């Protein structure tokens, strides 16, 4: 793992953007994209850049089960608002939160197979989840319907009017599919991520901290701000 500790979220996002451009110059065609507050600055930088994404395909990590793409809390809506409406891609994929479980997981696995991910962008949950692969998830999973843990519901309730409104399930790309990406950039910002970043980078590889699996991937870049990197042994 290459770890960069940068001054703040903006500088860290700028670094991630430079790496995306480098990969595109080398021929990357498919980006794996994430939602949440973590990639917001990156998408802003992409939006305001002169880089043309109209030949690129994107595959998003996850979506809440039961939300329509028009629902402002859905990840499809988030992507449209922060990136796709401003920077056209050739093709974008987000799991369909309304679809039948068996059909959707099969469809999404096929999409990932047909569009091998050159560069996957990841955030991380405070409990170490990547996508919505919660602690305890097997490293062998492909796309599946997952139950959100209480801590994830707690973290994500800020985006909803009431805690009861937070969906209890999501469709998520699996850890195995994430690990098949050729290159991965994981970003994390703020002191509430410091503990999990230390565990992910320096702790044992364990299903209790899903992101720790990334230690086994040959091309991972971790980009954090000073707060999220505060507990790392430098
Ligand atoms: C969410 C998403 C993840 C995201 C993480 C962190 O629940 N499923 O893909 O990386 O939690 O979110 P944030 O970036 O808002 O801290």
């Amino acid at each position: 793992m290459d770890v960069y500790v940068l001054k703040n979220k903006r500088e860290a996002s700028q670094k991630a953007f430079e790496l995306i451009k480098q990969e595109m110059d080398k021929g990357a065609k498919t980006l794996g994209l994430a939602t949440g507050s973590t990639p917001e600055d990156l998408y802003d930088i992409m939006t305001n850049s002169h880089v043309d994404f109209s030949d690129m395909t994107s595959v998003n990590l996850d979506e809440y089960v039961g939300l329509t793409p028009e629902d402002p809390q859905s990840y499809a809506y988030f992507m449209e608002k922060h990136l796709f409406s401003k920077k056209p891609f050739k093709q974008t994929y987000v799991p369909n939160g309304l679809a039948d479980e068996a059909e959707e997981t099969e469809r999404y696995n096929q999409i990932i197979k047909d569009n091998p991910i050159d560069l996957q962008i990841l955030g991380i949950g405070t409990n170490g989840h990547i996508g919505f692969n919660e602690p305890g998830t097997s490293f062998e999973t492909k796309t599946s319907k997952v139950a959100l843990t209480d801590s994830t519901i707690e973290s994500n309730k800020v985006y909803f009017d009431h805690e009861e409104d937070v969906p209890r399930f999501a469709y998520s790309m699996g850890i195995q599919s994430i690990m098949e990406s050729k290159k991965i950039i994981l970003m994390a910002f703020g002191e509430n991520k410091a503990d999990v970043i230390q565990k992910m980078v320096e702790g044992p590889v364990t299903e209790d901290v899903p992101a720790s699996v990334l230690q086994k991937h040959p091309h991972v870049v971790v980009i954090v701000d000073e707060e999220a990197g505060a507990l790392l042994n430098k």
Side-chain angles (χ1 to χ4, degrees):
M1 276 181 178
D2 288 338
V3 181
Y4 294 89
V5 181
L6 294 173
K7 207 165 171 188
N8 53 42
K9 182 175 179 177
R10 196 75 190 176
E11 284 186 17
S13 304
Q14 189 63 42
K15 173 79 188 168
F17 176 64
E18 300 302 329
L19 293 176
I20 292 174
K21 277 199 298 189
Q22 265 178 33
E23 292 304 308
M24 286 173 64
D25 288 344
K26 284 193 258 168
K29 286 280 169 250
T30 303
L31 297 180
L33 298 178
T35 49
S37 58
T38 302
E40 279 180 6
D41 276 19
L42 170 63
Y43 296 157
D44 185 52
I45 292 166
M46 286 166 74
T47 296
N48 290 305
S49 75
H50 295 296
V51 177
D52 179 13
F53 293 90
S54 64
D55 205 22
M56 300 293 290
T57 296
S58 69
V59 183
N60 260 78
L61 282 169
D62 45 16
E63 178 61 285
Y64 289 117
V65 168
L67 299 193
T68 66
E70 292 77 35
D71 190 315
Q73 310 306 338
S74 75
Y75 286 166
Y77 186 96
F78 175 101
M79 290 309 301
E80 206 47 45
K81 178 177 165 193
H82 290 279
L83 189 61
F84 301 149
S85 62
K86 303 172 189 166
K87 268 287 176 193
F89 276 59
K90 184 173 80 176
Q91 178 75 54
T92 63
Y93 296 104
V94 180
N96 176 358
L98 297 182
D100 165 78
E101 178 181 353
E103 283 173 21
E104 186 58 10
T105 51
E106 190 184 327
R107 182 186 80 95
Y108 218 65
N109 284 331
Q110 192 60 45
I111 286 169
I112 297 164
K113 202 169 167 192
D114 294 342
N115 300 277
I117 296 169
D118 294 301
L119 177 60
Q120 175 68 55
I121 306 297
L122 293 177
I124 184 169
T126 50
N127 64 3
H129 74 215
I130 44 178
F132 265 129
N133 297 288
E134 299 282 29
T137 307
S138 157
F139 289 159
E140 253 81 275
T141 47
K142 293 196 158 192
T143 308
S144 62
K145 181 178 174 179
V146 296
L148 308 193
T149 60
D150 290 346
S151 85
T152 297
I153 292 168
E154 176 69 23
S155 300
N156 290 8
K157 74 178 185 192
V158 292
Y159 299 107
F160 293 81
D161 289 338
H162 310 101
E163 186 172 335
E164 312 86 79
D165 299 338
V166 185
R168 268 37 184 177
F169 294 92
Y171 290 134
S172 180
M173 190 189 291
I175 292 181
Q176 188 181 321
S177 308
I178 291 172
M179 289 294 281
E180 283 167 5
S181 309
K182 293 192 193 101
K183 186 162 190 162
I184 295 173
I185 297 175
L186 184 142
M187 296 188 291
F189 309 122
E191 64 180 340
N192 68 331
K193 299 284 173 76
D195 181 52
V196 76
I197 286 297
Q198 192 278 331
K199 285 186 180 142
M200 174 190 83
V201 175
E202 295 169 355
V205 176
T206 165
E207 288 174 358
D208 295 340
V209 182
S212 66
V213 73
L214 300 176
Q215 291 180 26
K216 294 180 163 185
H217 191 288
H219 302 292
V220 174
V221 180
V222 177
I223 307 177
V224 297
D225 64 2
E226 286 176 355
E227 292 174 336
L231 299 180
L232 290 170
N233 282 315
K234 276 161 236 140

